[in-house]
Amino acid sequence: MTVVGPFGLSVRDQALEADVQAGLAAVEEGLLEATKSEVPFITEAAQHLVRAGGKRFRPLLVMLSAQFGDRYAPGIVPSAVVVELTHLATLYHDDVMDEAEVRRGVASANTRWGNSVAVLTGDFLFARASHILADLGPEAVRVQAEAFERLVTGQILETAGPQDGRDPVEHYLDVLAGKTGSLVAVSCRFGAMMSGADETVVDVLTQYGERLGVAFQLADDVLDIASDSHESGKTPGTDLREGIPTLPVLRLRERAERLGLAEDIALCELLDSDLTDDVRHAEALAALRTHPALEQARRDTVRYAQDARASLAPLSECDAKAALMELCDAVVHRAG
């Protein structure tokens, strides 16, 4: 048994391991090529997060999903480059919106060069992704466009917040399905689609990807509270400081409203205060780390990962399916 990809994913089959490793290496080359510009400064900014590393979670899903068809089909690696470029572009924009200082263990682009350069660099990456996508055919363009619309819609809904009378947790899970699940689903869809897999297989893997994507983001929510910057590569409590209500906070507020416990209400009041103050921020982070709401968020993560695993049931047993199932466990492991 060998280890490949993010989270130390175990791959039992040597041929599968070789295919995945070769595919990810080709994606890495493709990312560097796609982020080159005749203007050296643009190259530096565009490759800032590429060279910082990352899990390459989405390209890995493309490679594994391609195993259900012709795994050497020419569109597989370019489509993996497209989804990773799109993901990277959203990170540049997210860091501006969140005023994040650290990303993947290095200074965020907005910290290093300012908000304008960070936003424009994200736009540059979107443009390069679109250029590659154009060569993959109109169906690929349509799939990516629909996913990108869902991604942006999710981001807008997160910013706007739930409508009156809407359950905040349900609203947030819908946000994640669009903001994160959509692009992870496309990663699986592209891998299967580009390999020429049967349409039923493409649909199963797309559904799996969306559920796994939500679980992945929920695990990130837990990590934002529970981990230190060394573990996550980001500043802990970034969403907390910016007043973005991630699942642990929503579960806390839900519990406070349901049970009316004084300590829960006091913590909610602390979260509603100015958390740009370092002392208050540290106090809120410490309180949430020991609160039952964090454990509830972990359970929600497990539930979505289990749903993703269950969605794979129609697929024939093979090493690629086993690896996809193990990814569900790996995502849960990230959340503790």
Side-chain angles (χ1 to χ4, degrees), residues 16-311:
L16 174 58
E17 181 204 1
D19 285 344
V20 172
Q21 291 282 24
L24 291 176
V27 169
E28 212 63 30
E29 292 178 11
L31 288 171
L32 290 173
E33 186 62 32
T35 48
K36 287 180 182 176
S37 168
E38 294 179 356
V39 181
F41 175 68
I42 295 177
T43 301
E44 181 185 7
Q47 292 186 351
H48 180 62
L49 290 184
V50 174
R51 294 187 180 279
K55 293 174 285 290
R56 303 295 187 254
F57 179 56
R58 292 154 188 82
L60 175 65
L61 287 169
V62 175
M63 298 305 147
L64 289 174
S65 299
Q67 296 291 318
F68 294 88
D70 176 8
R71 58 190 184 276
Y72 302 121
I76 293 167
V77 169
S79 70
V81 173
V82 165
V83 293
E84 188 67 8
L85 283 175
T86 304
H87 172 59
L88 288 168
T90 66
L91 297 185
Y92 281 83
H93 288 181
D94 284 351
D95 286 346
V96 171
M97 293 176 66
D98 299 342
E99 299 180 4
E101 297 179 356
V102 177
R103 170 71 70 175
R104 295 184 171 176
V106 299
S108 61
N110 47 295
T111 297
R112 185 165 177 181
W113 294 294
N115 287 347
S116 294
V117 168
V119 169
L120 292 169
T121 302
D123 293 345
F124 176 81
L125 295 180
F126 283 132
R128 286 298 173 89
S130 298
H131 183 78
I132 298 169
L133 197 62
D135 293 330
L136 297 178
E139 177 66 8
V141 172
R142 183 188 64 79
V143 167
Q144 174 78 351
E146 289 176 355
F148 192 55
E149 179 183 345
R150 289 189 61 207
L151 191 158
V152 174
T153 299
Q155 187 68 66
I156 292 171
L157 288 175
E158 180 180 60
T159 304
Q163 293 182 337
D164 289 344
R166 179 84 195 277
D167 176 49
V169 172
E170 285 184 9
H171 170 82
Y172 183 64
L173 292 172
D174 282 348
V175 164
L176 294 193
K179 198 177 83 163
T180 303
S182 60
L183 192 57
V184 177
V186 164
S187 301
C188 294
R189 186 171 192 85
F190 274 166
M193 191 173 91
M194 294 298 164
S195 73
D198 290 343
E199 191 59 38
T200 53
V201 173
V202 174
D203 290 343
V204 165
L205 288 169
T206 302
Q207 185 181 67
Y208 161 85
E210 178 143 339
R211 293 174 180 176
L212 186 69
V214 174
F216 184 83
Q217 185 58 55
L218 293 178
D220 263 7
D221 286 358
V222 172
L223 282 171
D224 186 58
I225 302 297
S227 71
D228 59 29
S229 58
H230 175 72
E231 290 178 276
S232 65
K234 297 182 285 188
T235 304
T238 296
D239 291 331
L240 205 61
R241 190 184 293 275
E242 295 302 314
I244 298 170
T246 57
L247 193 62
V249 172
L250 292 174
R251 287 302 190 193
L252 164 68
R253 296 189 188 283
E254 181 183 65
R255 174 187 162 101
E257 185 174 341
R258 186 178 74 253
L259 300 179
L261 299 176
E263 58 267 30
D264 292 347
I265 294 170
L267 181 51
C268 288
E269 290 174 351
L270 176 61
L271 293 177
D272 290 334
S273 68
D274 181 11
L275 293 185
T276 60
D277 178 85
D278 289 341
V279 174
R280 284 200 191 102
H281 180 261
E283 183 183 348
L285 200 56
L288 274 174
R289 283 173 173 168
T290 59
H291 196 278
L294 186 63
E295 185 55 37
Q296 176 63 55
R298 284 194 177 99
R299 289 196 295 271
D300 292 325
T301 304
V302 170
R303 177 167 56 86
Y304 267 88
Q306 288 174 338
D307 286 347
R309 174 189 276 268
S311 68

